[in-house]
Amino acid sequence: MPKDFSSNAPIYVQIMNEVKLKIVSGGWEPGQRLQSVRELAVEFSVNPNTMQRALSELERDGLLYTERTAGRYVSQDKTKISKARDEMAEEYTDSYYNSMIRLGYGKEDIVGIVSGKSGIKRRKENEQVNRD
Amino acid sequence: MSRLIEINSLQKRYGAKTVLENISLSFESGTIAGILGPNGSGKTSIMKILAGIIKDYDGEVLIDGSAPNEYTKSIVSYLPEKTYLAEGNKAKYALDFFEDFYTDFDRSKAEEMFRQFKLDPEQKIKSMSKGMQEKVQLILVMSRKTKVYLLDEPLGGLDPASRKAMLDIILNNYSEDAVVLLSTHLISDVERIFDRIIMVGDKKIIVDDSVDNIRQSTGKSVEELFEEVFKC
């Protein structure tokens, strides 16, 4: 099922995020061979050129690589993948944090809400919050 | 990549009324382009000229190097806005007809899509719903393996789920070195399958850009831009 794309960001950027999510979450495993551009375009319901562009950008970022003639694969570099995961986590955290601030919550409230939800140690939460 | 469609200084009048004025456009192979514009903006006229149905126009129109003629008709798969299937016949006869008429028609592919969309070739066209008829027509047109696909409002009568299925038919079946031109006013559902958008209005081309350029430079979706450009 395709995702609904938000209106203001280029579609290729949104596909990049979807694909990144698959890679960093392990949905697509390191070294796994990707389907063809055409098949992925159908899966995501987007233009094949748009799909191609998203994959090329991810290749530039090192999350994908192409073997001459054999196809395109997920990177086997686990450090790189875990770094990409951290970056995404940071983006999500920023966005959550900023939304909560806009809603009028303070840092303490946010920490309380998150630790109540996930049971993550409060110390870790504080680190995250302080970094912002 | 080769230039499959070239239009230079195209002008079209119906009597005293000019609908297209000095239009110039070209399309490379491997493109899916959306032709968008309000009612009466000349979208269908452009399609009909490319399909070789309207012949009295001024300017130059070339498809794979030739002005619309018998050859270009053989490489253009055209889905008209209005239905043209013989209503009294079974869908099967439309398959026979396409098979007789077009050497590039892949009947087994069409039959497979009939099954996929639960369409019965034994059913008469007139007893099918509007949505089913539209599906039959799009399947027929997309089962030709050709260079140019002209789809004039292929999604009008369909519910959102069927629209998605139709987009999949288009993405799955067009030849990769082909040009697909699709006119529609249901922009939000389909903008993701276009790599290029042409907005036609007031006889002219108002916007000609890629979807992602539009989003990047305006911060708007194609639909939002359309509403802004053609505000009543």
Side-chain angles (χ1 to χ4, degrees):
Chain A
M1 240 344 245
K3 292 270 181 264
D4 280 328
F5 293 114
S6 79
S7 59
N8 46 9
I11 294 171
Y12 84 93
V13 173
Q14 300 181 56
I15 298 172
M16 279 176 71
N17 277 327
E18 285 299 311
V19 171
K20 240 195 230 174
L21 196 60
K22 283 188 193 281
I23 296 171
V24 302
S25 67
W28 289 1
E29 286 169 17
Q32 182 181 323
R33 187 170 189 274
L34 267 60
Q35 293 161 275
S36 71
V37 171
R38 166 79 71 118
E39 286 165 334
L40 288 169
V42 171
E43 186 178 316
F44 285 77
S45 272
V46 294
N47 188 285
N49 293 327
T50 311
M51 187 47 116
Q52 177 65 46
R53 181 167 180 194
L55 297 179
S56 302
E57 296 280 336
L58 288 170
E59 218 165 272
R60 200 166 309 156
D61 294 348
L63 288 174
L64 299 173
Y65 67 96
T66 302
E67 292 244 304
R68 239 175 241 279
T69 71
R72 198 179 254 114
Y73 298 81
V74 177
S75 167
Q76 305 198 17
D77 184 343
K78 292 191 177 146
T79 326
K80 195 160 256 167
I81 293 174
S82 109
K83 193 168 153 255
R85 181 164 174 249
D86 290 346
E87 281 167 12
M88 283 186 98
E90 193 139 348
E91 277 169 34
Y92 287 147
T93 309
D94 283 355
S95 132
Y96 169 74
Y97 178 76
N98 292 332
S99 306
M100 291 300 278
I101 295 291
R102 272 207 301 277
L103 281 175
Y105 290 99
K107 286 186 186 179
E108 289 299 313
D109 303 324
I110 298 172
V111 171
I113 290 167
V114 173
S115 51
K117 183 137 193 121
S118 67
I120 296 173
K121 294 256 184 318
R122 180 168 283 245
R123 189 181 53 78
K124 257 193 159 176
E125 301 289 337
N126 275 331
E127 274 173 20
Q128 187 67 57
V129 172
N130 288 337
R131 240 197 291 165
D132 297 317
Chain B
M1 291 255 265
S2 62
R3 184 162 289 185
L4 270 182
I5 297 178
E6 174 124 31
I7 300 174
N8 290 314
S9 313
L10 173 64
Q11 188 155 318
K12 171 66 193 158
R13 279 194 224 96
Y14 292 102
K17 190 175 155 50
T18 303
V19 290
L20 297 171
E21 198 170 76
N22 203 19
I23 302 258
S24 294
L25 276 174
S26 62
F27 297 94
E28 312 278 329
S29 59
T31 303
I32 304 181
I35 312 270
L36 314 176
N39 298 330
S41 59
K43 303 187 295 283
T44 296
S45 296
I46 294 177
M47 294 284 199
K48 284 185 174 168
I49 289 168
L50 291 170
I53 292 167
I54 292 180
K55 298 192 173 82
D56 55 331
Y57 57 84
D58 295 313
E60 185 183 45
V61 174
L62 297 174
I63 298 160
D64 200 19
S66 306
N69 60 14
E70 295 316 307
Y71 165 67
T72 67
K73 284 186 187 179
S74 76
I75 59 161
V76 169
S77 194
Y78 172 54
L79 176 70
E81 188 184 19
K82 296 194 179 87
T83 179
Y84 57 90
L85 298 173
E87 295 229 307
N89 287 342
K90 293 175 177 174
K92 191 172 70 176
Y93 289 108
L95 289 169
D96 293 342
F97 180 77
F98 264 69
E99 194 173 28
D100 281 350
F101 226 75
Y102 301 111
T103 50
D104 56 12
F105 181 68
D106 184 342
R107 182 170 185 138
S108 57
K109 193 164 161 182
E111 284 173 338
E112 156 123 31
M113 283 192 269
F114 264 68
R115 279 191 293 278
Q116 190 187 336
F117 291 99
K118 301 188 174 61
L119 297 164
D120 179 6
E122 298 296 331
Q123 191 176 349
K124 283 194 174 167
I125 300 290
K126 69 177 168 201
S127 70
M128 291 181 169
S129 71
K130 188 159 187 280
M132 288 162 81
Q133 291 181 13
E134 287 195 357
K135 279 182 197 164
V136 168
Q137 288 190 78
L138 187 68
I139 288 171
L140 291 170
V141 168
M142 292 310 298
S143 295
R144 289 184 59 194
K145 190 162 183 60
T146 188
K147 291 185 174 172
V148 177
Y149 298 89
L150 304 173
L151 311 175
D152 198 359
E153 291 285 355
L155 310 164
L158 298 174
D159 60 83
S162 298
R163 263 180 239 153
K164 160 80 178 78
M166 299 287 262
L167 295 184
D168 286 350
I169 293 183
I170 296 169
L171 283 173
N172 267 317
N173 293 293
Y174 83 99
S175 332
E176 251 160 285
D177 50 357
V179 169
V180 180
L181 301 187
L182 191 158
S183 81
T184 185
H185 56 265
L186 299 161
I187 304 168
S188 65
D189 291 328
V190 295
E191 71 173 274
R192 55 167 67 184
I193 79 158
F194 297 135
D195 42 14
R196 183 168 158 204
I197 295 291
I198 316 285
M199 288 191 193
V200 194
D202 199 20
K203 305 164 207 161
K204 293 188 281 285
I205 307 290
I206 296 176
V207 174
D208 180 357
D209 209 342
S210 77
V211 173
D212 276 347
N213 273 346
I214 288 173
R215 285 165 170 255
Q216 217 144 19
S217 63
T218 65
K220 293 185 176 75
S221 68
V222 172
E223 184 173 41
E224 287 166 337
L225 180 67
F226 183 89
E227 281 169 7
E228 189 181 290
V229 168
F230 295 111
K231 201 184 275 170
C232 292

